[in-house]
Amino acid sequence: MTVKYSHLFSEGKIGNLRLRNRIVMPPMGTNFANADGSVSQTLIDYYTERARGGVGLIIVEIVCVDSPVGKAITNQLCLDDDKYIGGFADLAESVHLEGAKIFVQLHHAGRQTTPDITGGIQPVCPSATHEGFLNVTPRELSNEEIEDLVQKFVSAAVRAKMAGIDGVELHGAHGYLIGQFMSPHINKRTDKWGGSTERRMRFPLEIIRGIREKLGPNFPICFRFNADDFVEDGIDIEEAKKIARILEDAGVDVLNVSVGIYEAMPTLLEPFHFEEGWRVYTAEAIKKVVNIPVITVGVIRDPVLADSIIAEGKADFVAIGRGLIADPEWPKKAYEGRDEEIRKCISCNTCIGLKVFSGQRMRCSVNPRVGYEWKYPYLPCACEKKKVVVIGGGPAGAYAAITAASRGHEVVLFEKENKIGGQLNISCLPPGKEKISWFTEWLEGELKRQNVILRLGECATPEKISALRPDIVILATGAEPIVPNIPGIERAYLSWDVLKGKVNVPSGEEVVVIGGGLVGCETAHYLLDKGCKVTIVEMLDDIALDMEPIGRFDLLNTFVSKGVKMLTKSLVTAITPETIQIVDAYKRVREVPAKHVVLAVGQKPAGCDLVKALCDMGIPVITVGDARAVGKIVDAVLFGFDAGVKV
């Protein structure tokens, strides 16, 4: 068999450890660990599936060396006690059986955590430097505590080897404790642990030295560090080159090059608009000054790009992070040349930003099996072949159809528009949201691969459905905009119509967007990008509260920098020919200039009448997606998938 991406799938080597290819799964928090920090079966199943999908090396997510003060997420893995060794041994064994190698990332949050996560303990740091993203002021570590933490990292590495783990990664990136010692932005100490680059490197070098003394020269050590903190007076690319040479001299086997700290969060966990492979230049710069292997990471979605990075010598390994959450078989499909079947990550950050950082377990908008690998180890063939009619080709309906057809059912899908996607075709229109169209393209391709009968541009009526004699109907008719009863509302445009280009709002004119949720803010961003002067009016205390926090942080910075007016705690009471009238929290009435008014106050389920008609005809109906309850892509896909499994 000719391998399409020969560079990506050539053998890799870290120290004396051989890897089957150059694809690395980087560490990403899941909250799948048990509450006590031990390895759960959910976690084992999650990583085993990625190993089975063909990845060369898995670096297991942040593993705490000092719980609870060192934790960054609620259910974080721990390796600060011998009681955890058995669980890691089970995990290593399961991954090894699938042909992959496994490292664990040793981690301490330092100041980048909160007392809610640490059990009320004040976070610690080399210096009592305030952390702006989480709004936390840490306590400065004493010399004795620093020495103790060095030993805790070393002891955790020893336990990892005892468990059969192939190597460890020290987390010196993203502004966590090791990185806090390294960064002049955070470390303000004047003793032996701070000052020059060499003194700021003392803490990680003591850890590396301790691991080498305990485990010898052949146990692989990976070091993850920032090539750029993207904050004022932080580590920059020139200092990062110096750090890389220091780490190589200290005996590190591989460098995992990353960027960003919490105070520059969008660079750390990129939202939609970041270009593919935008960080690769940093790894390329580091690779030029060292002789050990270098791993690059950051919005690498396409195997063509991944292979070219290796071929052009920009890095030795490519880390596919959120891409492997979205599709565990990314490596296998790329190896077999089935690129069009790869279900690409769309950078929505539901996985970590919306879920893990909120104390919930990881989920994925485009892959409903994430966290449910134990429940759906495979899709069972249907015991009895049924005729399934799906109404609606949005993410819920399309996923339900794909899943049901993959199990052997005959599936007919009605979609009133001439293309698949539903609201995905609107969601991809605001600035930077183009990646959402990747999911639509995958759904279209998968429907064809599963031989779903598509009836596009056709409304489903009770008569048409009845004529097909279905065994069951999956109703996924989506949602429709809410139009409030406000005097003058007829002058307002629907946000969907603005985004689809049905309504033209000229550049430079004043626009008021009524509704500051996700849809309203994305419409405002679209209008802002066109050059309009935008005001957002929202009833709640703040805007974009239903967005994932990283994307929200990024969007609000854009709004502030570009002069968007945000009127919160305000109720629109009337729309006049040139203004809108609002009442604020203090019952004050005022008028706001509004040449154009756009409405984005929410949605409600559609298709209720059709459900009743079908039920009256005795046809069983499962309602999914927004037709069931208005939600996000992740909700639509999960319930659509579940319906397809159950029919």
Side-chain angles (χ1 to χ4, degrees), residues 269-510:
L269 191 61
E270 304 94 335
F272 286 105
H273 65 85
F274 279 76
E275 293 183 5
E276 283 194 81
W278 75 277
R279 294 191 206 176
V280 173
Y281 77 95
T282 61
E284 183 180 13
I286 297 301
K287 182 168 170 56
K288 289 178 179 177
V289 300
V290 296
N291 295 308
I292 55 176
V294 170
I295 303 170
T296 192
V297 70
V299 200
I300 299 169
R301 306 284 189 255
D302 194 323
V304 174
L305 172 62
D307 191 69
S308 70
I309 291 168
I310 307 299
E312 295 168 16
K314 295 178 179 178
D316 302 281
F317 295 91
V318 172
I320 308 294
R322 288 171 290 174
L324 282 169
I325 298 173
D327 195 336
E329 293 190 323
W330 193 104
K332 181 180 179 182
K333 291 175 181 177
Y335 182 81
E336 295 173 357
R338 296 185 289 132
D339 299 22
E340 73 283 354
E341 295 182 35
I342 293 175
R343 185 175 45 216
K344 291 182 180 178
C345 166
I346 60 174
S347 297
C348 67
N349 276 343
T350 292
C351 53
I352 300 172
L354 185 64
K355 295 295 182 181
V356 174
F357 281 170
S358 302
Q360 303 175 58
R361 293 187 168 202
M362 177 186 281
R363 294 289 181 261
C364 176
S365 287
V366 301
N367 181 5
R369 292 185 62 251
V370 171
Y372 288 115
E373 287 86 0
W374 59 272
K375 186 175 182 180
Y376 306 108
Y378 61 92
L379 289 182
C381 292
C383 298
E384 175 189 353
K385 183 176 179 179
K386 297 177 183 178
K387 175 169 276 190
V388 180
V389 172
V390 179
I391 306 171
Y399 224 107
I402 289 164
T403 307
S406 71
R407 297 183 54 233
H409 294 304
E410 179 186 347
V411 182
V412 179
L413 186 150
F414 285 87
E415 168 52 51
K416 65 181 180 180
E417 302 294 336
N418 289 317
K419 64 178 297 187
I420 292 298
Q423 287 190 49
L424 295 176
N425 296 320
I426 302 173
S427 301
C428 68
L429 297 174
K433 301 289 288 292
E434 297 83 4
K435 292 186 183 72
I436 291 177
S437 64
W438 292 348
F439 186 39
T440 309
E441 291 166 6
W442 181 85
L443 291 172
E444 290 173 333
E446 200 67 13
L447 287 165
K448 292 175 183 176
R449 288 186 285 272
Q450 297 299 337
N451 298 311
V452 173
I453 300 167
L454 299 178
R455 294 176 65 165
L456 302 180
E458 190 173 350
C459 287
T461 64
E463 294 73 25
K464 289 179 182 179
I465 297 165
S466 178
L468 291 172
R469 299 184 179 276
D471 294 295
I472 194 164
V473 169
I474 298 176
L475 189 104
T477 46
E480 57 190 16
I482 294 171
V483 180
N485 185 20
I486 299 172
I489 195 67
E490 64 278 358
R491 190 166 81 81
Y493 312 135
L494 294 175
S495 59
W496 292 3
D497 290 340
V498 172
L499 291 170
K500 288 188 288 187
K502 289 184 177 181
V503 174
N504 180 38
V505 181
S507 174
E509 297 195 353
E510 292 176 330

Side-chain angles (χ1 to χ4, degrees), residues 11-12 14 16-21 23-25 47 50-51 54-60 91-92 94-104 164-167 220:
E11 184 181 75
I14 295 175
N16 293 323
L17 183 70
R18 295 185 180 276
L19 306 176
R20 60 185 172 186
N21 57 48
I23 304 170
V24 175
M25 181 179 182
Y47 282 114
R50 273 78 199 162
V55 68
L57 171 65
I58 291 173
I59 306 177
V60 175
L91 174 59
S94 188
V95 166
H96 286 152
L97 286 170
E98 300 296 344
K101 302 301 183 183
I102 182 171
F103 288 9
V104 295
I165 298 293
D166 298 302

